[in-house]
């Protein structure tokens, strides 16, 4: 059967719109990648060119051979991985309690969790800075890790609670009949089938920590505690900007998140969809 012209026109319009949207989204990334292989003068030449005669890896070499800049990546990995692991452990136990048990104050605690998620982080910057200084956690890994957990835990608990709500309670009851406790049901039965939810929460948490700028700038003082977003900002000098190094460092900073999403895309989308239910 021949496709009606009306339907063909709609398909062509959709394809054109998708291509235009893809080009619009990809252009900044392509330009950033191109600029990372140029010298600073070549970035601003007119007309602009994606590939120039001065194509080189000098910006990447400068970053990858500088211990100070490598320290930025090390700090980001340590903090992001620690927050992701701790948030998952705490969120899993809290979500299991919210999903499987009725207890006094459950609704109130749910409201508090959702409310914390709704509070703009910038409104807490000054009081939180004073608290971190008072606890002697300023310019430490512990200070940044605890800070990020405050902002990632509410989302993690909400998502994992929604995911556990999609799993039948008969699984827990079967474990109890066999004489095992709730922790056995959680770790031996529910956790293996909750991989999509865990991956979606873990990837989201890692992305939040990896890209966070405001608290990383406020709660650290020395270069050996700075993270990648702060390292990029430090390339902006008083009289000149190292644009090629900024672009190269941005590309290197995008790689971990990009790889996470590519490797766990199937689980990530499944977990986000399954967890999008009322808690």
């Amino acid at each position: 059967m021949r496709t009606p012209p009306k339907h063909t026109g709609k398909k062509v319009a959709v394809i054109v719109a998708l291509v235009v949207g893809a080009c619009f989204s990809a252009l900044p990334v392509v330009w950033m990648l191109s600029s990372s292989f140029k010298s600073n003068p070549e970035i601003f030449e007119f007309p602009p060119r994606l590939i120039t005669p001065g194509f080189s890896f000098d910006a990447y070499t400068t970053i990858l051979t500088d211990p100070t800049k490598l320290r930025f990546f090390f700090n980001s990995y340590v903090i992001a991985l620690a927050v992701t692991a701790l948030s998952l452990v705490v969120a899993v136990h809290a979500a299991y309690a919210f999903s499987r048990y009725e207890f006094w104050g459950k609704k109130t605690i749910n409201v508090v969790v959702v409310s914390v998620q709704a509070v703009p982080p910038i409104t807490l910057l000054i009081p939180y800075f004073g608290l971190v200084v008072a606890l002697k956690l300023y310019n430490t890994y512990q200070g940044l890790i605890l800070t990020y957990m405050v902002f990632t835990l509410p989302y993690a608990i909400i998502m994992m609670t929604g995911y556990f709500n999609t799993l039948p309670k008969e699984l827990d009851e079967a474990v109890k009949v066999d004489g095992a406790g709730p922790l056995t049901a959680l770790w031996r039965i529910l956790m293996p089938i909750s991989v999509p939810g865990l991956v979606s929460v873990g990837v989201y948490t890692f992305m939040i920590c990896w890209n966070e700028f405001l608290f990383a700038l406020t709660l650290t003082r020395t270069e050996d505690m700075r993270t990648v977003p702060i390292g990029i900002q430090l390339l902006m000098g008083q009289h000149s900007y190292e644009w090629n190094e900024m672009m190269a460092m941005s590309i290197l900073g995008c790689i971990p998140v990009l790889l996470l999403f590519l490797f766990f895309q199937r689980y990530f989308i499944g977990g986000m969809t399954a967890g999008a239910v009322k808690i």
Side-chain angles (χ1 to χ4, degrees), residues 94-169:
Y96 182 71
F98 282 129
S99 176
R100 292 301 193 257
Y101 297 100
E102 294 294 332
F103 50 87
W104 182 86
K106 177 179 177 179
K107 292 184 178 180
T108 302
I109 298 175
N110 273 332
V111 171
V112 171
V113 170
V114 174
S115 299
V116 172
Q117 179 70 18
V119 174
I122 193 171
T123 61
L124 304 175
L125 181 62
I126 295 177
Y128 204 89
F129 174 79
L131 178 63
V132 168
V133 172
L135 295 176
K136 298 182 179 180
L137 296 176
Y138 180 66
N139 201 48
T140 63
Y141 286 130
Q142 297 91 324
L144 285 177
I145 290 172
L146 291 175
T147 299
Y148 291 166
M149 285 187 65
V150 171
F151 303 114
T152 59
L153 263 180
Y155 170 85
I157 293 173
I158 292 170
M159 286 298 298
M160 288 308 303
T161 301
Y163 196 87
F164 284 150
N165 285 341
T166 66
L167 304 179
K169 294 185 178 180

Side-chain angles (χ1 to χ4, degrees), residues 206-217:
F206 186 90
M207 289 171 58
I208 292 295
C209 299
W210 186 266
N211 295 320
E212 205 282 326
F213 176 86
L214 183 61
F215 283 86
L217 176 64

Side-chain angles (χ1 to χ4, degrees), residues 184-212:
T184 301
L186 173 62
W187 289 101
R188 299 288 295 275
I189 304 299
L190 297 184
M191 291 297 288
I193 59 178
S194 300
V195 173
L198 294 171
V199 170
S200 63
V201 172
V203 171
Y204 176 85
T205 301
F206 186 90
M207 289 171 58
I208 292 295
C209 299
W210 186 266
N211 295 320
E212 205 282 326

Side-chain angles (χ1 to χ4, degrees), residues 162-181:
Y163 196 87
F164 284 150
N165 285 341
T166 66
L167 304 179
K169 294 185 178 180
E170 287 75 12
L171 294 173
D172 307 64
E173 296 172 357
V175 175
K176 292 178 182 178
V177 169
D178 292 337

